[in-house]
Amino acid sequence: MRDAHRNGIHCKRDSLMECCGPGFASPADAINAPRETLLYTIAIYTGTGIQKPDYLATVDVDPESPTYSQVIHRLEMPGIGDELHHMGWNACSSCFGEAGMSRKYLLLPGVRSNNIHVVDTATDPCAPRLHKVIEGAEIRAKTNLSGPHTVHCLGSEIIISMLGDARGEAPGGYLHLNNEFEIVGRWESSMGDIKFGYDFWYQPRHNVMVSSEWAAPNTFMPGFDLEEVGHLKYGRELHIWDFEKREPVESFYLGEDGLLPLEVKFHHDPDSTHGFCGAALSSNVIHWWKDDAGKWQWEKVIDVENEPHPEWPIPVPAVMSAILVSMDDKYLYLNNWLHGDMRQYDISDPHAPVLTGQVWMGGLLGKAPEVNGVKMAGGPQMFQLSLDGRRLYVTTSLFSTWDNQFYPEIRERGGVMVMIDCDPINGGMTLNPDFVVNFGKEPNGPSRCHEARYPGGDCTSDIWL
Amino acid sequence: MTTYRVTIANRENATFEVEARRPLLESLRAQGVDLPYGCKYGGCITCAAKLTAGTVNQRRQVALNNRQINAGYVILCVARPMSDITLEIGVDSHGELYRNPFLDPLEPHELKASPHQEPDDGP
């Protein structure tokens, strides 16, 4: 059965156009791309007690396929202890005009090991293969950086936010790779007064990049101590960069409204200056834009209230660890990892988001302890939306040490991937009853899935020049 | 060359002779002990084990808070033995390593020490 599937259409190089470079001419073209049939998610054993390498799982998401909703391939990393986390493509729509480029390689950094794994997903999309490993020791020695996180391509080159220096202390900087995956050096001219790094996104038509703040690797890797927030060991600022000069030019001090500002997303529309950040601990969405006078502004537009819990001395914060903007820039999705809900907001007016959908899955509030027959450990965590905005794939693990603190039962149960059907016309979300991937049943024991990507591009990869 | 004996209590009290100058992770893995690890510089806690007898030098670790240190945790990728020691290894030793930070806050004296430069104590 598997061979029949592997010879089918899903394993051919689809989505790469003959005439042009990778990706799509515009967000509107991306929305009309063929439906995804495969997705890749990382799955970790680091920190779980299972002495096996982390791996890249290929998940069959074609409902016509006999192996729909199953892991159909596992690419193990060469060693243990990487903690795979986020991923990024070697090329995206920012290279659409470059016929020689293709979206062939997925980069998988190990947050703890600093190794960056370059995986060829094009030769056989069902069965990705390891192309190259950039050794963590080489990165540390040549750039004095560690703690890789977000990968964005930059035309034909690649930059990766690195959250620490070689000793794991903040603020780190940006690793610059060329398209042969060789280390060019540090990308940034200056980190200015930036205290911490985390995520970043750029909008070239406005010569701007925005970056956010988690903490030093030595602070977040061992786990979360609330007291360290008060001691300013976690971030609370956003930074506006001059993208061409590669230096920060302005910072927003978000204060108590913006504790742990993590994921940053601009609108996909390359002419827009609007963008959003989810502040994880404050559980707020921050909106920024450039006003008519050319000045950057910010405001809080969503505030998820803490919820009471019978066993907690204080109300439970939502912990909004990720946000995503649909390709048509109409909806913003967010997760509340400790509460257990995914939400959809209509952001047609970015100053005034309207809640249009909500789905419960796991979480500490006990609203949905079981989903599609699987007992949940963890809550909604990372998610990826289809290009047409109709299918949202959601995973449950945050980071091994943080999972171990808040959801210790994840050790036995592993992570879960579910799918939410979204209505991009009228709004609304519903849990899909036919799709669930239980990483608790993996061959080597319970693993934990985190970020997901589609071979043909997705809503968190592509940037237009 | 000074050596010490390491007893691993939760591996049927298996014993290993290790060099005083080498990190315990490196010495034990070289002798076939399957141990978890991540960063290999003392920053990430993945290789934590519990020390139940003896003493180690783990001045280079920056992962543990004082509550974890007081509970006996050591970071094997940088810790070097200063006597014969007994360890419990792997996640079965991690019962007191992880705690819900909202339900069980740290007292001021239990916080992690601020980062500081230690003199290099050699390879």
Side-chain angles (χ1 to χ4, degrees), chain A residues 66-101:
Chain A
T67 49
Y68 177 58
S69 183
Q70 293 176 28
V71 177
I72 56 169
H73 185 266
R74 298 167 185 87
L75 173 69
E76 286 193 343
M77 299 302 108
I80 66 169
D82 287 310
E83 186 127 20
L84 301 181
H85 194 59
H86 284 224
M87 304 179 267
W89 293 103
N90 69 307
C92 77
S93 297
S94 67
C95 306
F96 184 71
E98 296 187 38
M101 292 295 297

Side-chain angles (χ1 to χ4, degrees), chain A residues 193-262:
Chain A
D193 294 327
I194 290 177
K195 299 179 189 71
F196 306 102
Y198 183 66
D199 198 18
F200 67 102
W201 193 284
Y202 64 98
Q203 193 68 305
R205 290 188 193 174
H206 297 282
N207 186 32
V208 65
M209 178 172 106
V210 173
S211 72
S212 61
E213 297 190 332
W214 192 10
N218 294 346
T219 299
F220 72 76
M221 287 197 298
F224 179 63
D225 281 339
L226 183 59
E227 298 75 13
E228 296 196 327
V229 177
H231 286 86
L232 304 181
K233 291 175 82 173
Y234 282 89
R236 49 182 75 184
E237 292 185 49
L238 286 176
H239 306 285
I240 306 281
W241 292 62
D242 182 319
F243 190 55
E244 282 169 17
K245 288 187 182 160
R246 305 182 179 186
E247 61 186 26
V249 290
E250 189 178 344
S251 295
F252 300 150
Y253 180 80
L254 309 173
E256 298 291 316
D257 276 338
L259 300 176
L260 281 70
L262 296 186

Side-chain angles (χ1 to χ4, degrees), chain B residues 10 12 27 42 49 58 71 79 83 86 92 121-122:
Chain B
N10 59 341
E12 298 174 330
S27 299
Q58 61 168 344
S83 70
T86 302
D92 17 323
D121 52 358

Side-chain angles (χ1 to χ4, degrees), chain A residues 145-368:
Chain A
L145 292 171
S146 74
H149 191 272
T150 301
V151 180
H152 274 301
C153 66
L154 180 76
S156 61
E157 306 200 331
I158 294 162
I159 52 176
I160 303 177
S161 58
M162 305 287 290
L163 310 195
D165 65 15
R167 301 171 69 100
E169 296 300 335
Y174 293 82
L175 173 65
H176 184 185
L177 304 176
N178 66 20
N179 60 12
E180 301 290 320
F181 311 111
E182 295 158 335
I183 297 172
V184 177
R186 295 281 283 258
W187 172 80
E188 81 280 10
S189 308
S190 163
M191 288 293 280
D193 294 327
I194 290 177
K195 299 179 189 71
F196 306 102
Y198 183 66
D199 198 18
F200 67 102
W201 193 284
Y202 64 98
Q203 193 68 305
R205 290 188 193 174
H206 297 282
N207 186 32
V208 65
M209 178 172 106
V210 173
S211 72
S212 61
E213 297 190 332
W214 192 10
N218 294 346
T219 299
F220 72 76
M221 287 197 298
F224 179 63
D225 281 339
L226 183 59
E227 298 75 13
E228 296 196 327
V229 177
H231 286 86
L232 304 181
K233 291 175 82 173
Y234 282 89
R236 49 182 75 184
E237 292 185 49
L238 286 176
H239 306 285
I240 306 281
W241 292 62
D242 182 319
F243 190 55
E244 282 169 17
K245 288 187 182 160
R246 305 182 179 186
E247 61 186 26
V249 290
E250 189 178 344
S251 295
F252 300 150
Y253 180 80
L254 309 173
E256 298 291 316
D257 276 338
L259 300 176
L260 281 70
L262 296 186
E263 293 220 343
V264 294
K265 311 288 181 207
F266 266 105
H267 271 163
H268 296 281
D269 172 2
D271 289 322
S272 172
T273 62
H274 293 272
F276 302 88
C277 174
L281 185 60
S282 303
S283 304
N284 293 331
V285 174
I286 307 297
H287 164 227
W288 72 80
W289 74 100
K290 199 182 216 177
D291 68 15
D292 293 340
K295 191 172 167 3
W296 290 100
Q297 303 283 359
W298 71 273
E299 63 187 352
K300 178 178 75 171
V301 288
I302 297 171
D303 185 340
V304 178
E305 296 289 331
N306 297 351
E307 290 281 343
H309 185 291
E311 289 158 31
W312 280 50
I314 53 166
V316 180
V319 181
M320 181 193 296
S321 45
I323 62 166
L324 182 150
V325 174
S326 63
M327 193 54 79
D328 61 4
D329 294 331
K330 185 176 173 190
Y331 293 102
L332 181 142
Y333 292 89
L334 62 85
N335 73 309
N336 294 314
W337 188 56
L338 292 187
H339 286 181
D341 58 323
M342 281 298 308
R343 294 188 186 190
Q344 178 198 54
Y345 286 84
D346 184 328
I347 52 166
S348 301
D349 177 357
H351 299 282
V354 178
L355 181 64
T356 47
Q358 187 175 29
V359 162
W360 291 91
M361 46 175 286
L364 294 173
L365 302 181
K367 302 269 183 86

Side-chain angles (χ1 to χ4, degrees), chain A residues 448-461:
Chain A
R448 305 178 194 172
C449 42
H450 188 64
E451 205 202 31
R453 299 263 171 192
Y454 313 134
D458 46 59
C459 288
T460 62
S461 295

